[in-house]
């Protein structure tokens, strides 16, 4: 019998996160959530070094700052203290998708990406280049915030204060009042600076459920559940190359039980990252990574995306191996880029 439990518990704060290295389909699943269990408020600690994509009715929505569920539901959006914001990109997203700026609140201490932040990362001689960073300025912005630069936070950014409400939003009070809240996290667990597979080939902050709750200042008593996305074949961003095609920055390893593949091995067109447009690297599913992440995150809901990359028997074998390690309360499969390609799997 199909599970009819709501994706988002009423009056709780739930977290949508990625159990691999990003690009698993958080945007698609956020759109699915918005259609089937719309939240009252969405919040995010995102930065423009990652993007969320949803395809609905032939229309593609790509955001780097705005949570997809908030865009689709037209409900309040909170860019919390963990966000690293490029003001121009945020304003562009609001205009492109018709988001009322009155509905967007920004935490006063959210980090701001300045032209200096971007220029520091875009030099091929920088540390950011050596680890194949997206070079969006997110890491540098966070570093400048830590170093207490006055222009590094939202409350001191005139471009943000002129167009948005820059203030703290008490999500604990909202949850206590019965509001259902969704946190959309960027990137993936395996990229976390504290959790990542190999330092320094990681992002600039932690990618965990506790970090998402901390950035949004959520008390544990208001926590609802974890919704985690995965891919049948995990990816990593491509290596950074110079104009001659020489690798000047490596993006990091896959888990030891993974085998790196080519897109031709999968009979698929090469995927490119939303942000850098580099061809993604791809590998076989890591059960070692799966076991590690499940033990720490214990998600109630799993979304296994890119099921269409597998033959039917291969997909079923993968699912059964996963379930022997960890069984969620609900499992969904993604068979394509559209929200309508998502199907529940009967456990």
């Amino acid at each position: 019998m199909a599970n009819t439990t709501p994706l988002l518990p009423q009056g709780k704060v739930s977290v949508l996160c990625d159990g691999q290295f990003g690009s698993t389909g958080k945007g698609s699943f956020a759109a699915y959530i918005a259609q089937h269990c719309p939240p009252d408020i969405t919040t995010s600690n995102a930065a423009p070094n990652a993007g969320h994509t949803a395809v609905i009715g032939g229309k593609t929505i790509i955001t780097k700052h705005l949570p997809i569920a908030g865009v689709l539901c037209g409900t309040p959006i909170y860019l919390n203290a963990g966000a690293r914001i490029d003001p121009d990109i945020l304003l562009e997203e609001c205009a492109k998708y018709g988001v009322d700026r009155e509905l967007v609140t920004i935490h006063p201490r959210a980090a701001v990406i300045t032209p200096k932040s971007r220029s520091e990362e875009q030099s091929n001689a920088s540390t950011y280049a050596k680890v194949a960073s997206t070079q969006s300025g997110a890491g540098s912005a966070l570093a400048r915030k830590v170093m207490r630069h006055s222009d590094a936070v939202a409350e001191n950014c005139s471009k943000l204060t002129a167009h948005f409400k820059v203030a703290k939003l008490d999500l604990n009070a909202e949850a206590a009042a019965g509001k259902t809240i969704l946190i959309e996290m960027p990137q993936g667990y395996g990229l976390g600076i504290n959790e990542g597979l190999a330092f320094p080939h990681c992002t600039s902050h932690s990618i965990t459920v506790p970090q998402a709750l901390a950035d949004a200042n959520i008390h544990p008593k208001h926590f609802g559940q974890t919704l985690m996305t995965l891919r049948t074949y995990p990816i990593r961003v491509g290596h950074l190359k110079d104009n001659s095609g020489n690798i000047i920055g490596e993006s990091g390893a896959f888990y030891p039980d993974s085998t790196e593949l080519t897109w031709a091995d999968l009979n698929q067109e090469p995927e490119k990252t939303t942000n850098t447009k580099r061809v993604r690297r791809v590998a076989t599913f890591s059960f070692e990574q799966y076991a590690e992440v499940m033990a720490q995150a214990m998600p109630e809901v799993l979304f296994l995306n890119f099921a269409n990359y597998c033959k039917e028997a291969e997909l079923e074998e993968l699912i059964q191996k996963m379930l022997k390690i960890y069984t969620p309360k609900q499992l969904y499969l993604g068979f394509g880029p559209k929200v309508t390609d998502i199907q529940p799997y009967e456990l």
Side-chain angles (χ1 to χ4, degrees):
M1 186 173 180
N3 193 322
T4 57
T5 304
L7 286 166
L8 302 180
Q10 180 69 35
K12 295 292 185 179
V13 182
S14 296
V15 179
L16 175 61
C17 57
D18 181 312
Q20 293 165 323
F21 301 104
S23 301
T24 54
K26 292 185 294 297
S28 289
F29 202 55
Y32 184 89
I33 293 167
Q35 288 185 350
H36 292 83
C37 192
D40 297 309
I41 300 171
T42 52
T43 182
S44 180
N45 56 356
N49 54 351
H52 286 186
T53 302
V55 181
I56 304 173
K59 181 180 179 181
T60 299
I61 298 173
I62 302 174
T63 65
K64 296 179 180 179
H65 285 309
L66 297 173
I68 290 282
V71 172
L72 295 176
C73 295
T75 49
I77 290 171
Y78 183 40
L79 304 184
N80 62 50
R84 287 133 295 150
I85 301 170
D86 185 314
D88 293 329
I89 291 177
L90 177 58
L91 286 166
E92 181 182 312
E93 285 183 9
C94 289
K96 185 173 183 178
Y97 299 116
V99 173
D100 184 353
R101 296 199 301 264
E102 294 291 326
L103 292 174
V104 180
T105 301
I106 300 172
H107 191 285
R109 301 292 169 81
V112 175
I113 296 173
T114 63
K116 183 175 178 61
S117 303
R118 287 190 294 271
S119 64
E120 285 179 353
E121 294 196 13
Q122 289 169 359
S123 166
N124 284 344
S126 70
T127 303
Y128 301 97
K130 290 181 174 62
V131 297
S133 158
T134 60
Q135 299 178 301
S136 65
S140 177
L142 184 58
R144 296 185 79 251
K145 175 181 173 180
V146 171
M147 294 301 291
R148 317 306 197 271
H149 290 281
S150 61
D151 64 345
V153 292
E155 62 188 351
N156 294 332
C157 175
S158 59
K159 189 171 283 189
L160 291 179
T161 57
H163 296 284
F164 301 97
K165 181 180 180 181
V166 177
K168 294 180 181 179
L169 184 60
D170 188 350
L171 295 181
N172 292 298
E174 298 286 357
K179 297 290 181 66
T180 301
I181 301 167
L182 176 64
I183 302 177
E184 285 187 31
M185 287 194 76
Q187 301 182 293
Y189 180 95
L191 296 176
I193 193 167
N194 298 325
E195 305 78 37
L197 182 61
F199 184 89
H201 301 284
C202 56
T203 193
S204 56
H205 71 303
S206 184
I207 314 289
T208 63
V209 173
Q211 186 63 54
L213 296 173
D215 283 345
N217 193 28
I218 303 297
H219 190 280
K221 74 176 182 179
H222 296 301
F223 176 58
Q225 63 183 15
T226 300
L227 306 96
M228 181 168 280
T229 60
L230 302 164
R231 294 177 59 117
T232 53
Y233 289 91
I235 61 91
R236 296 208 67 161
V237 67
H239 299 308
L240 182 63
K241 299 178 181 180
D242 63 18
N243 293 333
S244 300
N246 301 308
I247 295 176
I248 58 175
E250 297 188 356
S251 57
F254 288 100
Y255 272 71
D257 65 328
S258 279
T259 300
E260 187 158 357
L261 305 170
T262 67
W263 290 105
D265 292 330
L266 298 178
N267 294 314
Q268 298 291 333
E269 289 295 317
E271 293 183 18
K272 294 184 179 181
T273 56
T274 303
N275 219 34
T276 65
K277 306 305 179 185
R278 297 180 211 155
V279 174
R280 292 167 171 161
R281 297 163 56 211
V282 65
T284 57
F285 191 91
S286 169
F287 293 97
E288 181 181 337
Q289 182 179 31
Y290 178 76
E292 178 183 308
V293 175
M294 294 305 110
Q296 296 190 34
M298 300 182 184
E300 286 80 5
V301 180
L302 279 181
F303 171 51
L304 180 63
N305 202 12
F306 297 91
N308 52 307
Y309 283 10
C310 302
K311 294 180 180 179
E312 186 175 349
E314 177 191 359
L315 176 63
E316 187 60 29
E317 181 181 4
L318 171 60
I319 292 171
Q320 293 307 315
K321 285 184 178 180
M322 290 170 58
L323 296 179
K324 285 181 179 178
I325 296 170
Y326 179 86
T327 303
K329 293 180 180 179
Q330 298 183 61
L331 174 62
Y332 294 81
L333 304 178
F335 289 91
K338 300 177 182 178
V339 176
T340 51
D341 294 322
I342 297 174
Q343 302 176 12
Y345 180 91
E346 190 169 328
L347 294 169

